[in-house]
PDB file of all heavy atoms in Angstrom:
ATOM      1  N   ALA P   1      -9.129  -8.819  12.093  1.00  0.00           N
ATOM      2  CA  ALA P   1      -8.970  -7.738  11.232  1.00  0.00           C
ATOM      3  C   ALA P   1      -8.983  -8.243   9.833  1.00  0.00           C
ATOM      4  O   ALA P   1      -8.371  -9.359   9.503  1.00  0.00           O
ATOM      5  CB  ALA P   1      -7.807  -6.953  11.564  1.00  0.00           C
ATOM      6  N   VAL P   2      -9.679  -7.643   8.931  1.00  0.00           N
ATOM      7  CA  VAL P   2      -9.656  -8.045   7.489  1.00  0.00           C
ATOM      8  C   VAL P   2      -9.246  -6.858   6.558  1.00  0.00           C
ATOM      9  O   VAL P   2     -10.023  -5.960   6.263  1.00  0.00           O
ATOM     10  CB  VAL P   2     -11.088  -8.496   7.130  1.00  0.00           C
ATOM     11  CG1 VAL P   2     -11.089  -8.919   5.706  1.00  0.00           C
ATOM     12  CG2 VAL P   2     -11.578  -9.596   8.010  1.00  0.00           C
ATOM     13  N   PRO P   3      -7.892  -6.897   6.318  1.00  0.00           N
ATOM     14  CA  PRO P   3      -7.420  -5.828   5.331  1.00  0.00           C
ATOM     15  C   PRO P   3      -8.120  -5.826   3.970  1.00  0.00           C
ATOM     16  O   PRO P   3      -8.483  -6.848   3.410  1.00  0.00           O
ATOM     17  CB  PRO P   3      -5.971  -6.211   5.151  1.00  0.00           C
ATOM     18  CG  PRO P   3      -5.574  -7.016   6.463  1.00  0.00           C
ATOM     19  CD  PRO P   3      -6.852  -7.773   6.718  1.00  0.00           C
ATOM     20  N   ASP P   4      -8.311  -4.619   3.423  1.00  0.00           N
ATOM     21  CA  ASP P   4      -9.033  -4.508   2.197  1.00  0.00           C
ATOM     22  C   ASP P   4      -8.512  -3.280   1.455  1.00  0.00           C
ATOM     23  O   ASP P   4      -8.210  -2.243   2.071  1.00  0.00           O
ATOM     24  CB  ASP P   4     -10.594  -4.369   2.534  1.00  0.00           C
ATOM     25  CG  ASP P   4     -11.497  -4.285   1.345  1.00  0.00           C
ATOM     26  OD1 ASP P   4     -11.220  -4.997   0.357  1.00  0.00           O
ATOM     27  OD2 ASP P   4     -12.477  -3.517   1.499  1.00  0.00           O
ATOM     28  N   ARG P   5      -8.607  -3.420   0.137  1.00  0.00           N
ATOM     29  CA  ARG P   5      -8.226  -2.358  -0.675  1.00  0.00           C
ATOM     30  C   ARG P   5      -6.916  -1.552  -0.457  1.00  0.00           C
ATOM     31  O   ARG P   5      -6.892  -0.407  -0.072  1.00  0.00           O
ATOM     32  CB  ARG P   5      -9.381  -1.233  -0.779  1.00  0.00           C
ATOM     33  CG  ARG P   5     -10.628  -1.819  -1.476  1.00  0.00           C
ATOM     34  CD  ARG P   5     -11.684  -0.774  -1.721  1.00  0.00           C
ATOM     35  NE  ARG P   5     -12.777  -1.234  -2.586  1.00  0.00           N
ATOM     36  CZ  ARG P   5     -13.841  -0.644  -2.840  1.00  0.00           C
ATOM     37  NH1 ARG P   5     -14.180   0.495  -2.247  1.00  0.00           N
ATOM     38  NH2 ARG P   5     -14.740  -1.243  -3.725  1.00  0.00           N
ATOM     39  N   ILE P   6      -5.852  -2.398  -0.346  1.00  0.00           N
ATOM     40  CA  ILE P   6      -4.565  -1.914  -0.187  1.00  0.00           C
ATOM     41  C   ILE P   6      -4.040  -1.317  -1.570  1.00  0.00           C
ATOM     42  O   ILE P   6      -3.831  -2.128  -2.486  1.00  0.00           O
ATOM     43  CB  ILE P   6      -3.530  -2.936   0.449  1.00  0.00           C
ATOM     44  CG1 ILE P   6      -4.266  -3.714   1.528  1.00  0.00           C
ATOM     45  CG2 ILE P   6      -2.182  -2.354   0.720  1.00  0.00           C
ATOM     46  CD1 ILE P   6      -4.574  -2.839   2.657  1.00  0.00           C
ATOM     47  N   ARG P   7      -3.853  -0.019  -1.656  1.00  0.00           N
ATOM     48  CA  ARG P   7      -3.630   0.533  -2.994  1.00  0.00           C
ATOM     49  C   ARG P   7      -2.427   1.570  -2.884  1.00  0.00           C
ATOM     50  O   ARG P   7      -2.205   2.194  -1.941  1.00  0.00           O
ATOM     51  CB  ARG P   7      -4.877   1.306  -3.467  1.00  0.00           C
ATOM     52  CG  ARG P   7      -6.087   0.408  -3.728  1.00  0.00           C
ATOM     53  CD  ARG P   7      -7.308   1.237  -3.965  1.00  0.00           C
ATOM     54  NE  ARG P   7      -8.430   0.313  -4.409  1.00  0.00           N
ATOM     55  CZ  ARG P   7      -9.643   0.795  -4.729  1.00  0.00           C
ATOM     56  NH1 ARG P   7      -9.834   2.060  -4.555  1.00  0.00           N
ATOM     57  NH2 ARG P   7     -10.593  -0.035  -5.155  1.00  0.00           N
ATOM     58  N   THR P   8      -1.716   1.565  -4.055  1.00  0.00           N
ATOM     59  CA  THR P   8      -0.621   2.475  -4.157  1.00  0.00           C
ATOM     60  C   THR P   8      -0.828   3.132  -5.550  1.00  0.00           C
ATOM     61  O   THR P   8      -1.025   2.358  -6.601  1.00  0.00           O
ATOM     62  CB  THR P   8       0.666   1.864  -4.023  1.00  0.00           C
ATOM     63  OG1 THR P   8       0.859   1.155  -2.782  1.00  0.00           O
ATOM     64  CG2 THR P   8       1.828   2.766  -4.224  1.00  0.00           C
ATOM     65  N   GLU P   9      -0.721   4.386  -5.655  1.00  0.00           N
ATOM     66  CA  GLU P   9      -0.782   5.032  -6.915  1.00  0.00           C
ATOM     67  C   GLU P   9       0.232   4.543  -7.903  1.00  0.00           C
ATOM     68  O   GLU P   9       1.482   4.358  -7.411  1.00  0.00           O
ATOM     69  CB  GLU P   9      -0.786   6.564  -6.881  1.00  0.00           C
ATOM     70  CG  GLU P   9      -1.946   7.153  -6.167  1.00  0.00           C
ATOM     71  CD  GLU P   9      -3.256   6.951  -6.924  1.00  0.00           C
ATOM     72  OE1 GLU P   9      -3.235   7.181  -8.134  1.00  0.00           O
ATOM     73  OE2 GLU P   9      -4.264   6.509  -6.375  1.00  0.00           O
ATOM     74  N   GLU P  10       0.008   4.530  -9.252  1.00  0.00           N
ATOM     75  CA  GLU P  10       0.884   3.754 -10.077  1.00  0.00           C
ATOM     76  C   GLU P  10       2.370   4.426 -10.114  1.00  0.00           C
ATOM     77  O   GLU P  10       3.296   3.711 -10.106  1.00  0.00           O
ATOM     78  CB  GLU P  10       0.377   3.816 -11.602  1.00  0.00           C
ATOM     79  CG  GLU P  10       1.284   3.099 -12.455  1.00  0.00           C
ATOM     80  CD  GLU P  10       0.552   2.856 -13.870  1.00  0.00           C
ATOM     81  OE1 GLU P  10      -0.641   3.384 -13.953  1.00  0.00           O
ATOM     82  OE2 GLU P  10       1.125   2.400 -14.762  1.00  0.00           O
ATOM     83  N   ALA P  11       2.385   5.711  -9.979  1.00  0.00           N
ATOM     84  CA  ALA P  11       3.749   6.388 -10.045  1.00  0.00           C
ATOM     85  C   ALA P  11       4.635   6.126  -8.839  1.00  0.00           C
ATOM     86  O   ALA P  11       5.819   6.334  -8.786  1.00  0.00           O
ATOM     87  CB  ALA P  11       3.558   7.893 -10.218  1.00  0.00           C
ATOM     88  N   TYR P  12       3.967   5.456  -7.735  1.00  0.00           N
ATOM     89  CA  TYR P  12       4.680   5.239  -6.543  1.00  0.00           C
ATOM     90  C   TYR P  12       4.889   3.805  -6.161  1.00  0.00           C
ATOM     91  O   TYR P  12       5.266   3.501  -5.121  1.00  0.00           O
ATOM     92  CB  TYR P  12       4.052   5.999  -5.377  1.00  0.00           C
ATOM     93  CG  TYR P  12       4.022   7.447  -5.513  1.00  0.00           C
ATOM     94  CD1 TYR P  12       2.957   8.230  -6.182  1.00  0.00           C
ATOM     95  CD2 TYR P  12       5.106   8.258  -5.009  1.00  0.00           C
ATOM     96  CE1 TYR P  12       2.992   9.549  -6.279  1.00  0.00           C
ATOM     97  CE2 TYR P  12       5.106   9.598  -5.171  1.00  0.00           C
ATOM     98  CZ  TYR P  12       4.072  10.270  -5.834  1.00  0.00           C
ATOM     99  OH  TYR P  12       4.124  11.676  -5.970  1.00  0.00           O
ATOM    100  N   ARG P  13       4.577   3.001  -7.131  1.00  0.00           N
ATOM    101  CA  ARG P  13       4.678   1.464  -6.952  1.00  0.00           C
ATOM    102  C   ARG P  13       6.115   1.056  -6.953  1.00  0.00           C
ATOM    103  O   ARG P  13       7.058   1.709  -7.334  1.00  0.00           O
ATOM    104  CB  ARG P  13       3.732   0.830  -7.957  1.00  0.00           C
ATOM    105  CG  ARG P  13       2.296   1.013  -7.754  1.00  0.00           C
ATOM    106  CD  ARG P  13       1.392   0.275  -8.754  1.00  0.00           C
ATOM    107  NE  ARG P  13       0.105   0.731  -8.614  1.00  0.00           N
ATOM    108  CZ  ARG P  13      -0.894   0.477  -9.438  1.00  0.00           C
ATOM    109  NH1 ARG P  13      -0.603  -0.150 -10.623  1.00  0.00           N
ATOM    110  NH2 ARG P  13      -2.168   0.725  -9.187  1.00  0.00           N
ATOM    111  N   ARG P  14       6.249  -0.183  -6.236  1.00  0.00           N
ATOM    112  CA  ARG P  14       7.566  -0.814  -6.264  1.00  0.00           C
ATOM    113  C   ARG P  14       8.492   0.004  -5.300  1.00  0.00           C
ATOM    114  O   ARG P  14       9.732  -0.015  -5.571  1.00  0.00           O
ATOM    115  CB  ARG P  14       8.061  -1.140  -7.675  1.00  0.00           C
ATOM    116  CG  ARG P  14       7.093  -2.083  -8.452  1.00  0.00           C
ATOM    117  CD  ARG P  14       7.844  -2.421  -9.649  1.00  0.00           C
ATOM    118  NE  ARG P  14       7.007  -3.378 -10.439  1.00  0.00           N
ATOM    119  CZ  ARG P  14       6.782  -4.652 -10.254  1.00  0.00           C
ATOM    120  NH1 ARG P  14       7.405  -5.273  -9.239  1.00  0.00           N
ATOM    121  NH2 ARG P  14       5.980  -5.341 -10.968  1.00  0.00           N
ATOM    122  N   ARG P  15       8.037   0.751  -4.299  1.00  0.00           N
ATOM    123  CA  ARG P  15       8.956   1.472  -3.494  1.00  0.00           C
ATOM    124  C   ARG P  15       8.671   1.018  -2.076  1.00  0.00           C
ATOM    125  O   ARG P  15       9.171   1.728  -1.127  1.00  0.00           O
ATOM    126  CB  ARG P  15       8.686   2.999  -3.646  1.00  0.00           C
ATOM    127  CG  ARG P  15       8.839   3.489  -5.048  1.00  0.00           C
ATOM    128  CD  ARG P  15       8.930   4.994  -5.016  1.00  0.00           C
ATOM    129  NE  ARG P  15       8.752   5.596  -6.404  1.00  0.00           N
ATOM    130  CZ  ARG P  15       8.885   6.855  -6.563  1.00  0.00           C
ATOM    131  NH1 ARG P  15       9.119   7.740  -5.572  1.00  0.00           N
ATOM    132  NH2 ARG P  15       8.651   7.308  -7.892  1.00  0.00           N
ATOM    133  N   GLY P  16       7.926   0.026  -1.808  1.00  0.00           N
ATOM    134  CA  GLY P  16       7.661  -0.492  -0.459  1.00  0.00           C
ATOM    135  C   GLY P  16       6.495   0.110   0.267  1.00  0.00           C
ATOM    136  O   GLY P  16       6.222  -0.202   1.427  1.00  0.00           O
ATOM    137  N   LEU P  17       5.665   0.871  -0.436  1.00  0.00           N
ATOM    138  CA  LEU P  17       4.462   1.577   0.147  1.00  0.00           C
ATOM    139  C   LEU P  17       3.407   0.539   0.659  1.00  0.00           C
ATOM    140  O   LEU P  17       2.762   0.662   1.667  1.00  0.00           O
ATOM    141  CB  LEU P  17       4.002   2.601  -0.692  1.00  0.00           C
ATOM    142  CG  LEU P  17       4.706   3.978  -0.666  1.00  0.00           C
ATOM    143  CD1 LEU P  17       4.232   4.946  -1.847  1.00  0.00           C
ATOM    144  CD2 LEU P  17       4.480   4.700   0.586  1.00  0.00           C
ATOM    145  N   GLY P  18       3.217  -0.452  -0.269  1.00  0.00           N
ATOM    146  CA  GLY P  18       2.161  -1.416   0.011  1.00  0.00           C
ATOM    147  C   GLY P  18       2.534  -2.188   1.261  1.00  0.00           C
ATOM    148  O   GLY P  18       1.638  -2.390   2.198  1.00  0.00           O
ATOM    149  N   LEU P  19       3.792  -2.578   1.425  1.00  0.00           N
ATOM    150  CA  LEU P  19       4.248  -3.294   2.660  1.00  0.00           C
ATOM    151  C   LEU P  19       4.101  -2.344   3.920  1.00  0.00           C
ATOM    152  O   LEU P  19       3.601  -2.700   4.919  1.00  0.00           O
ATOM    153  CB  LEU P  19       5.661  -3.688   2.483  1.00  0.00           C
ATOM    154  CG  LEU P  19       6.269  -4.387   3.671  1.00  0.00           C
ATOM    155  CD1 LEU P  19       5.574  -5.651   4.080  1.00  0.00           C
ATOM    156  CD2 LEU P  19       7.746  -4.675   3.373  1.00  0.00           C
ATOM    157  N   PHE P  20       4.529  -1.087   3.732  1.00  0.00           N
ATOM    158  CA  PHE P  20       4.390  -0.122   4.854  1.00  0.00           C
ATOM    159  C   PHE P  20       2.938   0.076   5.201  1.00  0.00           C
ATOM    160  O   PHE P  20       2.626   0.015   6.501  1.00  0.00           O
ATOM    161  CB  PHE P  20       4.927   1.292   4.421  1.00  0.00           C
ATOM    162  CG  PHE P  20       4.695   2.306   5.386  1.00  0.00           C
ATOM    163  CD1 PHE P  20       5.640   2.497   6.422  1.00  0.00           C
ATOM    164  CD2 PHE P  20       3.596   3.233   5.285  1.00  0.00           C
ATOM    165  CE1 PHE P  20       5.355   3.560   7.405  1.00  0.00           C
ATOM    166  CE2 PHE P  20       3.407   4.174   6.257  1.00  0.00           C
ATOM    167  CZ  PHE P  20       4.274   4.481   7.275  1.00  0.00           C
ATOM    168  N   VAL P  21       2.044   0.326   4.358  1.00  0.00           N
ATOM    169  CA  VAL P  21       0.603   0.560   4.676  1.00  0.00           C
ATOM    170  C   VAL P  21       0.055  -0.721   5.437  1.00  0.00           C
ATOM    171  O   VAL P  21      -0.694  -0.609   6.356  1.00  0.00           O
ATOM    172  CB  VAL P  21      -0.153   0.829   3.456  1.00  0.00           C
ATOM    173  CG1 VAL P  21      -1.767   0.724   3.623  1.00  0.00           C
ATOM    174  CG2 VAL P  21       0.117   2.281   2.883  1.00  0.00           C
ATOM    175  N   MET P  22       0.432  -1.845   4.876  1.00  0.00           N
ATOM    176  CA  MET P  22      -0.162  -3.115   5.533  1.00  0.00           C
ATOM    177  C   MET P  22       0.329  -3.247   6.911  1.00  0.00           C
ATOM    178  O   MET P  22      -0.459  -3.602   7.875  1.00  0.00           O
ATOM    179  CB  MET P  22       0.133  -4.334   4.613  1.00  0.00           C
ATOM    180  CG  MET P  22      -0.288  -5.699   5.272  1.00  0.00           C
ATOM    181  SD  MET P  22      -2.044  -5.734   5.434  1.00  0.00           S
ATOM    182  CE  MET P  22      -2.433  -6.570   3.961  1.00  0.00           C
ATOM    183  N   ARG P  23       1.617  -2.986   7.163  1.00  0.00           N
ATOM    184  CA  ARG P  23       2.154  -3.216   8.482  1.00  0.00           C
ATOM    185  C   ARG P  23       1.625  -2.143   9.473  1.00  0.00           C
ATOM    186  O   ARG P  23       1.209  -2.495  10.574  1.00  0.00           O
ATOM    187  CB  ARG P  23       3.719  -3.039   8.452  1.00  0.00           C
ATOM    188  CG  ARG P  23       4.358  -4.220   7.718  1.00  0.00           C
ATOM    189  CD  ARG P  23       5.894  -4.064   7.696  1.00  0.00           C
ATOM    190  NE  ARG P  23       6.482  -4.187   9.015  1.00  0.00           N
ATOM    191  CZ  ARG P  23       7.746  -3.947   9.296  1.00  0.00           C
ATOM    192  NH1 ARG P  23       8.552  -3.460   8.376  1.00  0.00           N
ATOM    193  NH2 ARG P  23       8.187  -4.025  10.455  1.00  0.00           N
ATOM    194  N   ARG P  24       1.544  -0.913   8.961  1.00  0.00           N
ATOM    195  CA  ARG P  24       0.827   0.159   9.875  1.00  0.00           C
ATOM    196  C   ARG P  24      -0.708  -0.211  10.092  1.00  0.00           C
ATOM    197  O   ARG P  24      -1.132   0.039  11.257  1.00  0.00           O
ATOM    198  CB  ARG P  24       1.089   1.541   9.264  1.00  0.00           C
ATOM    199  CG  ARG P  24       2.482   2.035   9.273  1.00  0.00           C
ATOM    200  CD  ARG P  24       3.000   2.142  10.731  1.00  0.00           C
ATOM    201  NE  ARG P  24       2.183   3.114  11.511  1.00  0.00           N
ATOM    202  CZ  ARG P  24       2.518   4.412  11.749  1.00  0.00           C
ATOM    203  NH1 ARG P  24       3.621   4.869  11.132  1.00  0.00           N
ATOM    204  NH2 ARG P  24       1.812   5.182  12.511  1.00  0.00           N
ATOM    205  N   LEU P  25      -1.283  -0.679   9.131  1.00  0.00           N
ATOM    206  CA  LEU P  25      -2.723  -1.053   9.219  1.00  0.00           C
ATOM    207  C   LEU P  25      -3.059  -2.109  10.259  1.00  0.00           C
ATOM    208  O   LEU P  25      -3.863  -2.106  11.191  1.00  0.00           O
ATOM    209  CB  LEU P  25      -3.239  -1.451   7.951  1.00  0.00           C
ATOM    210  CG  LEU P  25      -4.804  -1.682   7.820  1.00  0.00           C
ATOM    211  CD1 LEU P  25      -5.588  -0.296   8.071  1.00  0.00           C
ATOM    212  CD2 LEU P  25      -5.202  -2.187   6.396  1.00  0.00           C
TER     213      LEU P  25
END
C-alpha cells in the first residue's frame, strides 16, 4: 500500500486528524 495525499484543511490542523486518517487508511 502506498499512502498519498494525506490532507487536512488548515482550520482543522494539529488536532490529530492526519494521524487518524493514516491509521484508518
Side-chain angles (χ1 to χ4, degrees):
V2 179
D4 183 37
R5 290 186 169 173
I6 311 301
R7 294 176 172 174
T8 302
E9 291 298 314
E10 186 172 358
Y12 295 91
R13 291 176 184 169
R14 301 189 181 278
R15 303 192 194 185
L17 278 169
L19 179 61
F20 173 84
V21 167
M22 178 62 90
R23 292 179 67 189
R24 288 298 298 262
L25 186 64

